[in-house]
Amino acid sequence: MGNRFICMTKKGANENGSRSKRMGRSQRKMISEEEFLHRQALSMALHQHQLSQRFEGSMSRRIGSTSFRRRNLPDDPLSNEKQAPDFLQKIKTKKFILIHGEGFGAWCWYKNIALLEESGLFPTAFDLTGSGIDLTDTNSVATLAGYSKPLIDYLQSLPEDEKVILVGHSSGGACISYALERFPQKISKAIFLCATMVSNGQRPFDVFAEELGSAEHFIKESKFLIYGNGKDKPPTGFMFEKEQMKGLYFNQSPAKDVALAMVSMRPIPLGPIMEKLSLTPENYGSGRRFYIQTLDDRALSPDVQEKLVRENPPEGVFKIKGSDHSPFLSKPQSLHKILIEIAQIP
């Protein structure tokens, strides 16, 4: 099973580089410089978030059979203590499983983990195989099943009468689609966050074709490819340069969160996103799907997201204004409000 997200305390934010009093020489030897920088940046970002929380506006629309209608929550549904019990009573499934997208890890959800916990809910974020601080070599992750193993192991371990809400970001949408096909009875709702909500027989990579070109062209021409098994063998992964990552994923995110991402992003295994999904009406088709669109997204444009919704209609569609491809960093409060709203839908 993958590594679960671990929050660092406020006290950890005061640690100071290689001279930290709490980290002795022997401990430093056990932790790579990159992992230490990641933990330090995450601690500082979490501390900053705790000091400056406020709710932002969000816009959403619910798709019905023939018409659209707006659904809005109060600016702060938890501001009045008397509202909290009623608020929670409307949510039948209180466990949220947060699945990151390509290159990301459980770390990216830190703001929404805090917000969900403060709401009385139970979020869990996993590092998928070869992601975050999972030690698996990314070059060895060749299938969607292998990539999704931490999620699948968790769902297998759930009691038969227990359900969860899945939230999948970007290519993590393929993982929750795969999970829906495997365990439809254990998933109350599946929320696709600017994600690859593919149809049967489609590859997750195909969703990004507008930005990256066709899969065949990308494999032949891309300068971002990684050949983990040698140049004479097919590529095993890819990773964008930092400036390109900033432009694609973080064009509206705070500078401190972008800094955190730059020391935390991992290479993207190529096999899982090139794999065609096999999805059936009986399993995947029986699940309750919702889609959250991000309207200032440069990795998965609003037009592409609209096309995904049109070709594979979910039960409901919601929108976040001013969000880049990383709404958990750029618009966490707006994202939180929508997650709560979806959770309350009977």
Side-chain angles (χ1 to χ4, degrees), residues 13 15 23 72 77 101-102 116 124 136 155 169 172 174 179 188 199 224 230 235 246 249 258 263 272 299 329 335:
E15 293 179 351
M23 186 173 291
N72 294 302
E102 69 284 351
L116 288 168
T124 300
T136 306
L155 292 174
H169 169 244
S188 170
S199 302
F224 305 113
K246 290 178 182 179
Y249 294 129
V258 176
V263 298
L329 300 179
L335 173 58

Side-chain angles (χ1 to χ4, degrees), residues 54-58 72-79 333 337:
R54 63 182 179 87
F55 281 87
E56 300 166 352
S58 67
N72 294 302
L73 293 177
D75 288 339
D76 184 353
L78 301 178
S79 59
Q333 295 89 354
K337 289 176 70 176

Side-chain angles (χ1 to χ4, degrees), residues 203 205-206 208-225 227 235 238 240 244 270 274:
R203 296 176 294 195
F205 186 90
D206 295 339
F208 295 97
E210 181 179 287
E211 180 64 35
L212 301 177
S214 70
E216 293 73 21
H217 175 79
F218 184 80
I219 290 176
K220 287 181 180 179
E221 305 292 338
S222 177
K223 64 180 180 179
F224 305 113
L225 292 172
Y227 294 84
F238 66 98
F240 298 118
Q244 185 152 7
L270 197 57
M274 292 296 183

Side-chain angles (χ1 to χ4, degrees), residues 22 119 187 203 205 220 308 317:
R22 296 185 59 192
S119 301
I187 300 168
R203 296 176 294 195
F205 186 90
K220 287 181 180 179
L308 290 175
V317 175

